[in-house]
Amino acid sequence: MYRSKTILTALVAAGLALSAPFAATAKELRMALSAEPSSMDPHFHNLTPNNALTSHVFERLVHFDSKMKPIPGLATSWKTIDEKTWEFKLRPGVKWHDGSPFTADDVLFSMERAPNVENSPGSFATYVKGKTFAKIDDMTIRVTTPAPYPLMPNDLATIAIISKKAASGAKTDDFNSGKAAIGTGPYKYAEFVKGDRYVLVRNEDHWGEKPVWTKVTIRPIKTGPSRISALLAGDVDVIEEVPTTDIERLKGDTKIALGQGLSNRVIFFHMDQWRDESPFITANDGSKIKNPLKDKRVRLALSKAINRPAIVDRLMEKAAVPASQFLADDFFGTSKKLKPETFDIEGAKKLLAEAGYPKGFKMTLHSPNGRYINDARMAEAVAQMFTRIGVETKVETMPGAVYFTRATTGANGNPEFSFMLLGWGAGTGEVSSPLKSLVATFDKVKGMGPVNRGRYSNPVLDKAIEEALATVDDPKRAELLAKASEIAIEDVAVIVSHYQLNTWATRKGMQYTPRADEYTIAMSVSEQ
Amino acid sequence: MSVTDAGPVAAPVRQPAVQTPFARFVADFTESRLATFAFILLVVTMLLALIAPWIVPQNPYDLAQVDIMDSRLKPGTPASSGKYTHWLGTDGAGRDLVSAMLYGLRISLLVGVLSGLIAMAVGAAIGLIAAYVGGRTESLIMRIVDLQLSFPAILVALMLIAILGKGVDKIIIALVTVQWAYYARTVRGSALVESRKEYVEAARCLGLSNGRILFRHILPNCLPPLIVVVTVQTAHAISLEATLSFLGVGLPQTEPSLGLLISNGFQYMLSGDYWISFFPGLVLLATIVVINLVGDQLRDVLNPRLSK
Amino acid sequence: MTAYIIRRLMQSAAVVLAMSVIVFLGLHVVGDPVYLLIDPQADQAEIERTIRRLGLDQPIWIQYFHFIKGALTGDLGTSFVHGTSALKLIVERMPATLEIAIAATLMSIFIGIPLGLYAGLKPNGFISKSIMATSILGFSLPTFWVGIMMIMVFAVMLGWLPSTGRGPTATFLGITSSLFTIDGLRHVAMPALNLALLKISLVIRLTRAGTREAIHQDYIKFARAKGVSMGRIVGVHLLKNIMIPVVTVLGLEFGNLIAFSVVTETIFAWPGMGKLLIDSIQTLDRPVIVAYLIIIVLLFVIINLVVDILYSVLDPRVRIGEKAT
């Protein structure tokens, strides 16, 4: 630790001009994560900490930049041959960490393995499904789909390419032990001690821009205050997920630098819109009533009751932005017309009265605790706000372990709760992901609305989403997605609250370029 | 090494009994000024907790009275309604800390004392029976104790939450489930020693009933270590409840106990808003210290072998 | 004695069986891990495929049957989260937990017993009263609160000790442990003390209570009258007589330390079994929880057995197994 400190001091003292000769010296970076990666096998579990860790070692055909725009990775370019066929040109001259050359065979091998990893608790099958991969020559592959499929680059940005030579027949444990952990990425596998530390060393032969750090040690520190303490004590250089309560204080700390950026995650509420009587809604006297959430006016009233600026300001410590739709404005496919619902208690009360609930009703708001940033406190604050317009709201929080099963299949295979807090991170970096999963009509056969926990159903919206999903032309699709978002939001299919900002903290002299996909990677840590 | 124990132990009488047993107990107890002071404090604390709803300016469990806009106000800030002052500030949800602490104290005391007493009653009875009856019954009981002791509190709490939901009664059930085995094990340990002593044999020879021997003779002799465990465990129950809340399987978010206030305030500790977890921590600490001082003195007074 | 031990071990097998049934049924009621683990973007078909892959589509009794079948061949199942053998996961993390548990137990013995003896022998002195008052602090504040305070004071403000994590290991007499390196010990210090606080207070109180009681008993008075030195009285006669409750409690507590160092390990990011357990409970990783609890039950059974045997050694009046039929 002292060594790197002195080097840093020396650098600062000597000025930037001298940094080039010094670049050859060892520079260690220590990062603390809030969650523990479970494997070095990039196909084992599609989970943010795993994906972030393995992306040091393995690369994808398409990469996401920090704002989740697709950029060339192991593929230098891609284009559509016809509506149903995509062609990818592979990057020439790329070498695996063992020295063998990267070819189309590796890509085919990876696509074959990714959906079929033994014991995988959450595989990448969703992104490979329905695609046929064909090798044209060593540096060209073609992907065909039965129907027009516009999300090809986004999907392929999730699948890591592994070496056919090193990983043939390899099991997950072989990646963890390092045997099969041969990638093309900017870092090489050095050590994997589950739950303790993950060590990587720089790949000096990498094709791309060389990262600053020669050695990277990643450690999981789950508890927020402990993570901050580790940074303040100088035991780590970078931490992710800075607790919102500490942001203000760290801003004033001269030894710390913050990196904050918009995430792809929206916090919203699903509302029971399929049962005639909802289990957690009663009249004020406790008797059963017709499900009020089926009435758009009630849903709008609840949305108006939420004081979004107050939530952002008082609860999220400004580490959030009031939400108007499913993804923040600068993502692909968002509507420019939608604005966050204005806070209006009188308007809300009026709408409730119009809908036939002048005295409100009673409701229970369910929320996980510890799954999203400040989730339980958020539920409590929103319950306060609902109570103020006459909807007396009780809060019930529970650990994710209990919550998600009940919220998904708690009532004989259907969602149990009436009004629930949830979050959604758009893994594809564009709007079709939340539209398709959250508000499209629940349909097992089509694979639509898989986590539509309010069972909202609107044929007009379904048609709009399906049309967008079959449009390959980017500008046209963006327009269609925006229209679909407007339909959903104007009908208050869900109540959106805010987009999360992600916050990283580093020691002074470093800077973290915030990533919308919430990845914490050494390549994003720069030196100043 | 042969040990001559102090014969049949039915509170040996020191002086010719001019005092009633209760008066003597009071006299013994008040011998320590510190313990008397602690006892008075404990009574005051319990009273405060009891009458909390009538003396605090805000009902912290009523969401209509709590506003997120008032969150994290510094101690001494006037309330937004202007009717009172947040003397100790507000917490992250906008609850007045004085009100929340007194309400929380109610719950913490209820949870700690009730779960401690029930667990002790259940555990001590089972432990005594195991030691006295022996044989298969003892083996069965002690294996159930093994089973219970190896179950983590958080797993018990998680399962109970899934089955019963959250609530004060549920957390008491969880804490009793976690703690009874501990008492059973301790009591059995001492009872095993006691039941082989001469006075028990003497009692048997006299033809006393098993129940009488168990509860009138063996139990009083097992009390000293038991009281140590009770006072420690009651305090521990209160902080265990806080820990369960910290792990997300404790009490409902909107009805915080002292422990939940502390664990909610935990995230503010590094941010400078110290009061959110500092004041509840202080009250919790004081309460537990007081319980223990009283417990310590009780143990000394009740212990038949310590009488001078 | 041998027959007694064998009988105890057989009873333990029944305990393990009972426990596995409870955990299977209990976790089944709590929830389905798939909804926690799967990529949220997955559609219904993929969710069902994953449920099948993890074997969770089967009725619970068939899942249990499969588990028993595997357990008989020494396979306690494959972790849902990690995809590797549950047993291996736990064994890998055991040394880290043993380190802090042993360190904490040593602290509670070497700090707790002398302080407790002193407080028991001079119950009315100022120092004794201070010891007793301070010992209350040990169990009145929640572990997580004390833990983070320690980190703030010793790591952030004073910079004496590293804030979190486990230090480098070294191998000594075939055992690899971070207790054998200076930096390793520096890392162990805070989590071990955090774990030990409650135990130290407990030992102080038990020792003091035992001492106060024993000091009034006849054999001590005789010994004094005979002119036996105070050191010998305390060291030999007194200690021997007050050890029973202390041994019981310490035995139990050692098991507790190993089993449930959950909070301390979470706060100090200590890569031990406790952290694995809490993570597994939070993700409903049943194979790991079951395997973990089986190990813990066996551990407690062994500890209790040792404690019972120690009883009979420390106090000849207790003859174990004499009544068992």
Side-chain angles (χ1 to χ4, degrees), chain B residues 207-219:
Chain B
L208 296 186
S209 73
N210 281 340
R212 198 178 156 84
I213 296 176
L214 259 184
F215 291 101
R216 292 295 296 277
H217 296 276
I218 298 181
L219 184 61

Side-chain angles (χ1 to χ4, degrees), chain A residues 138-154:
Chain A
D138 268 358
M139 287 294 120
T140 314
I141 61 156
R142 272 192 192 167
V143 196
T144 49
T145 47
Y149 194 77
L151 291 176
M152 190 64 74
N154 306 60

Side-chain angles (χ1 to χ4, degrees), chain A residues 202-478:
Chain A
R202 188 164 71 183
N203 172 15
E204 302 297 334
D205 303 320
H206 187 241
W207 55 267
E209 197 187 329
K210 228 180 240 176
V212 185
W213 317 101
T214 52
K215 183 181 169 197
V216 178
T217 306
I218 297 171
R219 283 177 42 205
I221 304 180
K222 210 169 136 187
T223 317
S226 307
R227 208 157 53 240
I228 295 223
S229 302
L231 178 72
L232 293 175
D235 294 335
V236 296
D237 306 311
V238 179
I239 63 168
E240 66 174 7
E241 221 179 279
V242 177
T244 53
T245 44
D246 294 305
I247 292 174
E248 209 46 45
R249 193 201 111 151
L250 290 182
K251 270 184 189 157
D253 191 325
T254 51
K255 287 180 292 191
I256 303 295
L258 291 177
Q260 197 171 54
L262 207 53
S263 77
N264 61 0
R265 194 176 297 276
V266 64
I267 299 298
F268 68 97
F269 298 93
H270 255 324
M271 294 165 280
D272 180 354
Q273 290 167 64
W274 58 289
R275 279 173 287 213
D276 290 329
E277 275 178 8
S278 203
F280 295 97
I281 296 178
T282 64
N284 284 326
D285 59 4
S287 60
K288 284 194 170 166
I289 48 166
K290 192 165 101 320
N291 180 358
L293 296 174
K294 282 192 159 183
D295 190 324
K296 183 193 151 186
R297 287 168 298 188
V298 174
R299 303 198 296 268
L300 187 60
L302 292 172
S303 184
K304 279 181 181 300
I306 296 178
N307 186 348
R308 290 177 181 77
I311 286 173
V312 166
D313 205 47
R314 305 296 307 176
L315 192 115
M316 298 298 291
E317 313 280 334
K318 303 186 181 68
V321 174
S324 59
Q325 49 190 315
F326 298 97
L327 261 180
D329 292 355
D330 47 358
F331 283 91
F332 182 87
T334 48
S335 161
K336 309 298 169 229
K337 280 204 307 216
L338 294 171
K339 295 278 166 285
E341 191 61 61
T342 40
F343 171 54
D344 177 5
I345 289 192
E346 289 317 310
K349 281 183 178 161
K350 219 175 108 209
L351 277 167
L352 275 184
E354 270 174 36
Y357 303 95
K359 296 236 154 45
F361 50 89
K362 275 188 177 173
M363 175 167 86
T364 303
L365 194 172
H366 286 90
S367 162
N369 49 12
R371 180 76 171 197
Y372 312 110
I373 299 176
N374 298 339
D375 46 12
R377 291 176 54 214
M378 166 80 191
E380 197 181 351
V382 169
Q384 290 174 5
M385 292 165 184
F386 288 167
T387 305
R388 285 200 165 68
I389 61 161
V391 179
E392 203 185 317
T393 307
K394 218 182 117 210
V395 176
E396 203 168 313
T397 63
M398 55 192 86
V402 181
Y403 181 81
F404 285 97
T405 303
R406 288 178 68 183
T408 316
T409 59
N412 295 321
N414 279 312
E416 181 184 344
F417 304 139
S418 299
F419 197 99
M420 58 205 123
L421 183 148
L422 288 155
W424 186 264
T428 53
E430 46 76 62
V431 177
S432 80
S433 146
L435 284 173
K436 185 183 152 191
S437 300
L438 302 177
V439 289
T441 304
F442 181 84
D443 186 335
K444 274 190 181 183
V445 181
K446 285 188 189 159
M448 296 297 269
V451 282
N452 180 347
R453 295 180 170 110
R455 294 289 189 266
Y456 172 80
S457 175
N458 179 350
V460 183
L461 175 64
D462 290 345
K463 216 170 133 252
I465 296 172
E466 273 167 39
E467 194 189 344
L469 282 173
T471 306
V472 176
D473 179 56
D474 275 355
K476 209 170 144 209
R477 190 171 76 258

Side-chain angles (χ1 to χ4, degrees), chain A residues 36 38-39 44-47 115-123 125-127 129 172-173 176 194-196 219-223 225-226 229-230 232-233 235 371 400-402 404-405 408-409 424-428 433 437 442-444 447-451 453, chain C residues 30-50 53-54 78-85 88-89 92-93 148 151-152 155-156 161-167 187 266-271 275-276 278-279 281-284:
Chain A
E36 177 186 330
S38 62
S39 179
F44 173 65
H45 193 179
N46 186 6
L47 191 76
N116 297 310
V117 178
E118 205 184 340
N119 298 323
S120 164
S123 81
T126 318
Y127 303 98
K129 197 165 61 180
T172 297
D173 278 343
N176 297 349
K194 196 171 268 181
D196 186 1
R219 283 177 42 205
I221 304 180
K222 210 169 136 187
T223 317
S226 307
S229 302
L232 293 175
D235 294 335
R371 180 76 171 197
V402 181
F404 285 97
T405 303
T408 316
T409 59
W424 186 264
T428 53
S433 146
S437 300
F442 181 84
D443 186 335
K444 274 190 181 183
M448 296 297 269
V451 282
R453 295 180 170 110
Chain C
V30 171
D32 193 331
V34 171
Y35 299 113
L36 292 168
L37 298 174
I38 201 162
D39 170 27
Q41 332 268 339
D43 60 18
Q44 292 93 330
E46 178 56 20
I47 294 175
E48 276 172 19
R49 212 168 76 102
T50 308
R53 183 161 44 215
L54 298 181
T78 303
S79 157
F80 294 153
V81 174
H82 301 272
T84 50
S85 154
K88 194 180 133 218
L89 272 174
E92 276 173 3
R93 302 231 181 160
I148 202 72
I151 295 181
M152 274 178 65
V156 178
L161 293 167
S163 58
T164 51
R166 186 177 180 220
H187 279 86
T266 307
I267 296 285
F268 288 94
W270 189 261
K275 191 157 167 299
L276 179 69
I278 184 90
D279 290 346
I281 288 176
Q282 280 167 352
T283 49
L284 299 177

